[in-house]
Amino acid sequence: MFMKRLYFVLVLIMMVLISRAKNVHIIYFGDTDDANIGRAIQVDIRLMEKLVHEIKSVAKSEGYSCFFNKYVDSDCSPVKLRSVIENLSCKDDIVFFYYGGHGGRSHEDSGKFPRMCLGTND
């Protein structure tokens, strides 16, 4: 039930935001190589692909383009994420980023939120 509500809310938010943007960029990083959660991440990917299909339909009907890039397996890495961010050209666009994987925080880390592991144990 929660996933259906989340799905619905995300579609509504995207519809509102699309009205102000030129393009929609959906970037998905999923740690499918993780032995503990890899299968769950594959389920997330299928759900995300359904959501992207809906967003693309809305975007197209409003005259906007929607781009979906997913990075899984060995592509789910800090190096790849930095590259994607550095090469993203998105002035006046919507960027929706989703990460499926583990996160953590060291004892020295004073940040409020955990860091994405992105397929590493660091």
Side-chain angles (χ1 to χ4, degrees):
M1 187 63 143
F2 173 75
M3 286 304 292
K4 287 183 180 182
R5 286 183 185 158
L6 176 63
Y7 178 77
F8 179 72
V9 169
L10 288 174
V11 169
L12 286 176
I13 290 170
M14 294 304 291
M15 287 171 44
V16 171
L17 294 175
I18 286 171
S19 67
R20 300 180 186 143
K22 296 177 182 178
N23 299 299
V24 178
H25 303 269
I26 301 170
I27 302 168
Y28 180 92
F29 274 75
D31 191 2
T32 54
D33 284 343
D34 187 294
N36 293 321
I37 61 169
R39 285 187 180 172
I41 299 302
Q42 291 171 349
V43 171
D44 277 353
I45 291 169
R46 287 192 295 277
L47 292 171
M48 180 60 74
E49 287 171 343
K50 286 182 179 181
L51 177 62
V52 167
H53 178 74
E54 295 295 321
I55 293 169
K56 280 185 175 185
S57 295
V58 172
K60 185 176 181 180
S61 71
E62 296 298 320
Y64 298 97
S65 299
C66 183
F67 306 96
F68 176 54
N69 294 331
K70 67 180 174 184
Y71 302 92
V72 297
D73 303 325
S74 62
D75 280 339
C76 181
S77 70
V79 171
K80 183 58 112 177
L81 178 58
R82 280 187 206 97
S83 173
V84 168
I85 291 170
E86 288 170 359
N87 293 305
L88 187 62
S89 177
C90 57
K91 183 176 169 62
D92 296 327
D93 290 350
I94 296 168
V95 178
F96 180 76
F97 177 82
Y98 184 91
Y99 170 64
H102 285 292
R105 178 177 28 234
S106 72
H107 294 292
E108 295 85 32
D109 192 350
S110 62
K112 184 176 180 181
F113 301 104
R115 297 174 186 260
M116 296 179 288
C117 290
L118 290 163
T120 68
N121 292 325
D122 298 337

mmCIF file of all heavy atoms in Angstrom, residues 74-105:
data_model
loop_
_atom_site.group_PDB
_atom_site.id
_atom_site.type_symbol
_atom_site.label_atom_id
_atom_site.label_comp_id
_atom_site.label_asym_id
_atom_site.label_seq_id
_atom_site.Cartn_x
_atom_site.Cartn_y
_atom_site.Cartn_z
ATOM 1 N N SER A 74 28.263 -3.143 -11.831
ATOM 2 C CA SER A 74 29.540 -2.441 -11.628
ATOM 3 C C SER A 74 29.436 -0.948 -11.933
ATOM 4 O O SER A 74 30.312 -0.175 -11.557
ATOM 5 C CB SER A 74 30.642 -3.081 -12.465
ATOM 6 O OG SER A 74 30.336 -2.987 -13.840
ATOM 7 N N ASP A 75 28.372 -0.530 -12.619
ATOM 8 C CA ASP A 75 28.187 0.910 -12.890
ATOM 9 C C ASP A 75 27.703 1.680 -11.667
ATOM 10 O O ASP A 75 27.704 2.907 -11.671
ATOM 11 C CB ASP A 75 27.190 1.126 -14.031
ATOM 12 C CG ASP A 75 27.822 0.935 -15.394
ATOM 13 O OD1 ASP A 75 29.059 1.032 -15.502
ATOM 14 O OD2 ASP A 75 27.071 0.694 -16.351
ATOM 15 N N CYS A 76 27.248 0.987 -10.639
ATOM 16 C CA CYS A 76 26.818 1.644 -9.406
ATOM 17 C C CYS A 76 28.067 1.886 -8.559
ATOM 18 O O CYS A 76 28.421 1.085 -7.696
ATOM 19 C CB CYS A 76 25.812 0.769 -8.658
ATOM 20 S SG CYS A 76 25.205 1.529 -7.139
ATOM 21 N N SER A 77 28.741 2.994 -8.848
ATOM 22 C CA SER A 77 30.009 3.278 -8.176
ATOM 23 C C SER A 77 30.162 4.775 -7.938
ATOM 24 O O SER A 77 29.546 5.585 -8.648
ATOM 25 C CB SER A 77 31.182 2.788 -9.029
ATOM 26 O OG SER A 77 31.313 3.590 -10.188
ATOM 27 N N PRO A 78 30.978 5.151 -6.974
ATOM 28 C CA PRO A 78 31.228 6.583 -6.738
ATOM 29 C C PRO A 78 31.823 7.278 -7.965
ATOM 30 O O PRO A 78 31.467 8.407 -8.269
ATOM 31 C CB PRO A 78 32.218 6.588 -5.563
ATOM 32 C CG PRO A 78 31.998 5.292 -4.870
ATOM 33 C CD PRO A 78 31.632 4.317 -5.953
ATOM 34 N N VAL A 79 32.706 6.585 -8.671
ATOM 35 C CA VAL A 79 33.335 7.169 -9.868
ATOM 36 C C VAL A 79 32.279 7.463 -10.923
ATOM 37 O O VAL A 79 32.263 8.530 -11.532
ATOM 38 C CB VAL A 79 34.430 6.225 -10.420
ATOM 39 C CG1 VAL A 79 34.934 6.694 -11.767
ATOM 40 C CG2 VAL A 79 35.575 6.095 -9.429
ATOM 41 N N LYS A 80 31.370 6.517 -11.152
ATOM 42 C CA LYS A 80 30.318 6.700 -12.156
ATOM 43 C C LYS A 80 29.373 7.824 -11.747
ATOM 44 O O LYS A 80 28.975 8.635 -12.578
ATOM 45 C CB LYS A 80 29.553 5.394 -12.352
ATOM 46 C CG LYS A 80 28.495 5.479 -13.423
ATOM 47 C CD LYS A 80 29.077 5.888 -14.765
ATOM 48 C CE LYS A 80 29.004 4.763 -15.729
ATOM 49 N NZ LYS A 80 29.484 5.118 -17.068
ATOM 50 N N LEU A 81 29.019 7.892 -10.463
ATOM 51 C CA LEU A 81 28.128 8.955 -9.999
ATOM 52 C C LEU A 81 28.765 10.324 -10.217
ATOM 53 O O LEU A 81 28.111 11.242 -10.712
ATOM 54 C CB LEU A 81 27.762 8.761 -8.535
ATOM 55 C CG LEU A 81 26.870 9.853 -7.928
ATOM 56 C CD1 LEU A 81 25.559 10.001 -8.694
ATOM 57 C CD2 LEU A 81 26.601 9.571 -6.463
ATOM 58 N N ARG A 82 30.034 10.461 -9.862
ATOM 59 C CA ARG A 82 30.719 11.752 -10.098
ATOM 60 C C ARG A 82 30.706 12.113 -11.580
ATOM 61 O O ARG A 82 30.457 13.257 -11.949
ATOM 62 C CB ARG A 82 32.158 11.686 -9.586
ATOM 63 C CG ARG A 82 32.256 11.875 -8.104
ATOM 64 C CD ARG A 82 33.717 11.984 -7.637
ATOM 65 N NE ARG A 82 33.786 11.554 -6.263
ATOM 66 C CZ ARG A 82 34.135 10.341 -5.855
ATOM 67 N NH1 ARG A 82 34.492 9.422 -6.733
ATOM 68 N NH2 ARG A 82 34.147 10.033 -4.579
ATOM 69 N N SER A 83 30.965 11.134 -12.431
ATOM 70 C CA SER A 83 30.969 11.359 -13.874
ATOM 71 C C SER A 83 29.595 11.795 -14.375
ATOM 72 O O SER A 83 29.474 12.730 -15.172
ATOM 73 C CB SER A 83 31.417 10.085 -14.596
ATOM 74 O OG SER A 83 31.290 10.221 -15.981
ATOM 75 N N VAL A 84 28.554 11.119 -13.912
ATOM 76 C CA VAL A 84 27.190 11.467 -14.322
ATOM 77 C C VAL A 84 26.858 12.896 -13.902
ATOM 78 O O VAL A 84 26.338 13.681 -14.696
ATOM 79 C CB VAL A 84 26.170 10.462 -13.725
ATOM 80 C CG1 VAL A 84 24.742 10.963 -13.881
ATOM 81 C CG2 VAL A 84 26.333 9.099 -14.375
ATOM 82 N N ILE A 85 27.180 13.248 -12.670
ATOM 83 C CA ILE A 85 26.885 14.596 -12.175
ATOM 84 C C ILE A 85 27.668 15.651 -12.949
ATOM 85 O O ILE A 85 27.121 16.670 -13.355
ATOM 86 C CB ILE A 85 27.165 14.693 -10.661
ATOM 87 C CG1 ILE A 85 26.137 13.867 -9.889
ATOM 88 C CG2 ILE A 85 27.133 16.150 -10.195
ATOM 89 C CD1 ILE A 85 26.451 13.705 -8.422
ATOM 90 N N GLU A 86 28.950 15.394 -13.169
ATOM 91 C CA GLU A 86 29.792 16.370 -13.869
ATOM 92 C C GLU A 86 29.359 16.571 -15.317
ATOM 93 O O GLU A 86 29.520 17.658 -15.870
ATOM 94 C CB GLU A 86 31.257 15.925 -13.814
ATOM 95 C CG GLU A 86 31.865 16.081 -12.435
ATOM 96 C CD GLU A 86 33.234 15.424 -12.315
ATOM 97 O OE1 GLU A 86 33.726 14.820 -13.300
ATOM 98 O OE2 GLU A 86 33.813 15.506 -11.214
ATOM 99 N N ASN A 87 28.792 15.543 -15.936
ATOM 100 C CA ASN A 87 28.406 15.634 -17.346
ATOM 101 C C ASN A 87 26.925 15.910 -17.555
ATOM 102 O O ASN A 87 26.456 15.915 -18.692
ATOM 103 C CB ASN A 87 28.804 14.342 -18.065
ATOM 104 C CG ASN A 87 30.300 14.178 -18.131
ATOM 105 O OD1 ASN A 87 31.009 15.057 -18.606
ATOM 106 N ND2 ASN A 87 30.799 13.060 -17.630
ATOM 107 N N LEU A 88 26.203 16.164 -16.497
ATOM 108 C CA LEU A 88 24.771 16.418 -16.600
ATOM 109 C C LEU A 88 24.533 17.862 -17.031
ATOM 110 O O LEU A 88 24.966 18.800 -16.384
ATOM 111 C CB LEU A 88 24.099 16.143 -15.252
ATOM 112 C CG LEU A 88 22.582 16.198 -15.198
ATOM 113 C CD1 LEU A 88 21.986 15.136 -16.114
ATOM 114 C CD2 LEU A 88 22.111 15.977 -13.781
ATOM 115 N N SER A 89 23.861 18.013 -18.136
ATOM 116 C CA SER A 89 23.485 19.332 -18.633
ATOM 117 C C SER A 89 21.979 19.460 -18.449
ATOM 118 O O SER A 89 21.208 18.811 -19.152
ATOM 119 C CB SER A 89 23.862 19.456 -20.110
ATOM 120 O OG SER A 89 23.433 20.691 -20.611
ATOM 121 N N CYS A 90 21.572 20.302 -17.499
ATOM 122 C CA CYS A 90 20.153 20.284 -17.141
ATOM 123 C C CYS A 90 19.612 21.646 -16.710
ATOM 124 O O CYS A 90 18.764 21.712 -15.833
ATOM 125 C CB CYS A 90 19.920 19.262 -16.049
ATOM 126 S SG CYS A 90 20.910 19.555 -14.579
ATOM 127 N N LYS A 91 20.054 22.717 -17.317
ATOM 128 C CA LYS A 91 19.550 24.036 -16.948
ATOM 129 C C LYS A 91 18.037 24.095 -17.172
ATOM 130 O O LYS A 91 17.540 23.724 -18.222
ATOM 131 C CB LYS A 91 20.247 25.113 -17.776
ATOM 132 C CG LYS A 91 19.832 26.513 -17.413
ATOM 133 C CD LYS A 91 20.625 27.522 -18.210
ATOM 134 C CE LYS A 91 20.103 28.906 -18.100
ATOM 135 N NZ LYS A 91 20.075 29.558 -16.895
ATOM 136 N N ASP A 92 17.316 24.521 -16.152
ATOM 137 C CA ASP A 92 15.852 24.623 -16.173
ATOM 138 C C ASP A 92 15.150 23.276 -16.303
ATOM 139 O O ASP A 92 13.984 23.218 -16.679
ATOM 140 C CB ASP A 92 15.377 25.542 -17.307
ATOM 141 C CG ASP A 92 15.843 26.967 -17.121
ATOM 142 O OD1 ASP A 92 15.949 27.408 -15.959
ATOM 143 O OD2 ASP A 92 16.120 27.634 -18.130
ATOM 144 N N ASP A 93 15.840 22.195 -16.016
ATOM 145 C CA ASP A 93 15.260 20.864 -16.103
ATOM 146 C C ASP A 93 14.990 20.307 -14.712
ATOM 147 O O ASP A 93 15.463 20.822 -13.711
ATOM 148 C CB ASP A 93 16.214 19.905 -16.828
ATOM 149 C CG ASP A 93 16.343 20.201 -18.308
ATOM 150 O OD1 ASP A 93 15.559 21.019 -18.830
ATOM 151 O OD2 ASP A 93 17.232 19.614 -18.946
ATOM 152 N N ILE A 94 14.251 19.230 -14.703
ATOM 153 C CA ILE A 94 14.005 18.485 -13.474
ATOM 154 C C ILE A 94 14.981 17.320 -13.452
ATOM 155 O O ILE A 94 15.130 16.598 -14.441
ATOM 156 C CB ILE A 94 12.577 17.933 -13.439
ATOM 157 C CG1 ILE A 94 11.570 19.072 -13.404
ATOM 158 C CG2 ILE A 94 12.385 16.996 -12.252
ATOM 159 C CD1 ILE A 94 10.162 18.618 -13.665
ATOM 160 N N VAL A 95 15.638 17.119 -12.317
ATOM 161 C CA VAL A 95 16.500 15.956 -12.131
ATOM 162 C C VAL A 95 15.965 15.190 -10.934
ATOM 163 O O VAL A 95 15.869 15.712 -9.830
ATOM 164 C CB VAL A 95 17.973 16.359 -11.890
ATOM 165 C CG1 VAL A 95 18.822 15.127 -11.642
ATOM 166 C CG2 VAL A 95 18.505 17.164 -13.064
ATOM 167 N N PHE A 96 15.589 13.956 -11.182
ATOM 168 C CA PHE A 96 15.079 13.079 -10.137
ATOM 169 C C PHE A 96 16.113 11.981 -9.939
ATOM 170 O O PHE A 96 16.384 11.200 -10.842
ATOM 171 C CB PHE A 96 13.732 12.495 -10.563
ATOM 172 C CG PHE A 96 13.118 11.565 -9.558
ATOM 173 C CD1 PHE A 96 12.520 12.064 -8.414
ATOM 174 C CD2 PHE A 96 13.120 10.196 -9.767
ATOM 175 C CE1 PHE A 96 11.939 11.210 -7.481
ATOM 176 C CE2 PHE A 96 12.547 9.335 -8.845
ATOM 177 C CZ PHE A 96 11.959 9.845 -7.694
ATOM 178 N N PHE A 97 16.725 11.930 -8.748
ATOM 179 C CA PHE A 97 17.757 10.948 -8.444
ATOM 180 C C PHE A 97 17.220 9.953 -7.432
ATOM 181 O O PHE A 97 16.613 10.333 -6.436
ATOM 182 C CB PHE A 97 18.995 11.644 -7.865
ATOM 183 C CG PHE A 97 20.080 10.684 -7.453
ATOM 184 C CD1 PHE A 97 20.954 10.193 -8.396
ATOM 185 C CD2 PHE A 97 20.204 10.281 -6.141
ATOM 186 C CE1 PHE A 97 21.952 9.284 -8.036
ATOM 187 C CE2 PHE A 97 21.186 9.383 -5.760
ATOM 188 C CZ PHE A 97 22.066 8.885 -6.716
ATOM 189 N N TYR A 98 17.457 8.680 -7.707
ATOM 190 C CA TYR A 98 17.024 7.626 -6.794
ATOM 191 C C TYR A 98 18.180 6.670 -6.581
ATOM 192 O O TYR A 98 18.825 6.241 -7.539
ATOM 193 C CB TYR A 98 15.835 6.872 -7.381
ATOM 194 C CG TYR A 98 15.267 5.835 -6.442
ATOM 195 C CD1 TYR A 98 14.249 6.165 -5.558
ATOM 196 C CD2 TYR A 98 15.744 4.526 -6.440
ATOM 197 C CE1 TYR A 98 13.719 5.220 -4.695
ATOM 198 C CE2 TYR A 98 15.224 3.579 -5.586
ATOM 199 C CZ TYR A 98 14.213 3.926 -4.710
ATOM 200 O OH TYR A 98 13.693 2.993 -3.859
ATOM 201 N N TYR A 99 18.442 6.354 -5.316
ATOM 202 C CA TYR A 99 19.496 5.398 -4.977
ATOM 203 C C TYR A 99 18.902 4.224 -4.225
ATOM 204 O O TYR A 99 18.186 4.411 -3.235
ATOM 205 C CB TYR A 99 20.572 6.073 -4.115
ATOM 206 C CG TYR A 99 21.573 5.101 -3.533
ATOM 207 C CD1 TYR A 99 22.415 4.367 -4.367
ATOM 208 C CD2 TYR A 99 21.669 4.904 -2.167
ATOM 209 C CE1 TYR A 99 23.323 3.473 -3.835
ATOM 210 C CE2 TYR A 99 22.582 4.003 -1.625
ATOM 211 C CZ TYR A 99 23.403 3.295 -2.474
ATOM 212 O OH TYR A 99 24.303 2.404 -1.954
ATOM 213 N N GLY A 100 19.188 3.040 -4.697
ATOM 214 C CA GLY A 100 18.781 1.822 -4.009
ATOM 215 C C GLY A 100 20.028 1.079 -3.558
ATOM 216 O O GLY A 100 20.771 0.566 -4.389
ATOM 217 N N GLY A 101 20.274 1.086 -2.278
ATOM 218 C CA GLY A 101 21.456 0.406 -1.763
ATOM 219 C C GLY A 101 21.702 0.771 -0.315
ATOM 220 O O GLY A 101 20.925 1.496 0.303
ATOM 221 N N HIS A 102 22.801 0.259 0.209
ATOM 222 C CA HIS A 102 23.163 0.521 1.600
ATOM 223 C C HIS A 102 23.814 1.888 1.751
ATOM 224 O O HIS A 102 24.356 2.449 0.802
ATOM 225 C CB HIS A 102 24.144 -0.539 2.110
ATOM 226 C CG HIS A 102 23.506 -1.852 2.392
ATOM 227 N ND1 HIS A 102 22.620 -2.046 3.426
ATOM 228 C CD2 HIS A 102 23.625 -3.051 1.779
ATOM 229 C CE1 HIS A 102 22.223 -3.301 3.435
ATOM 230 N NE2 HIS A 102 22.814 -3.938 2.441
ATOM 231 N N GLY A 103 23.755 2.383 2.960
ATOM 232 C CA GLY A 103 24.441 3.615 3.325
ATOM 233 C C GLY A 103 25.048 3.449 4.699
ATOM 234 O O GLY A 103 24.767 2.485 5.405
ATOM 235 N N GLY A 104 25.894 4.361 5.059
ATOM 236 C CA GLY A 104 26.515 4.262 6.376
ATOM 237 C C GLY A 104 27.158 5.573 6.780
ATOM 238 O O GLY A 104 27.226 6.519 5.999
ATOM 239 N N ARG A 105 27.618 5.586 8.007
ATOM 240 C CA ARG A 105 28.259 6.788 8.531
ATOM 241 C C ARG A 105 29.342 6.334 9.504
ATOM 242 O O ARG A 105 29.092 5.515 10.385
ATOM 243 C CB ARG A 105 27.220 7.658 9.225
ATOM 244 C CG ARG A 105 27.755 8.899 9.839
ATOM 245 C CD ARG A 105 26.691 9.796 10.481
ATOM 246 N NE ARG A 105 25.524 9.099 10.974
ATOM 247 C CZ ARG A 105 24.282 9.416 10.629
ATOM 248 N NH1 ARG A 105 24.048 10.402 9.820
ATOM 249 N NH2 ARG A 105 23.260 8.755 11.138
#
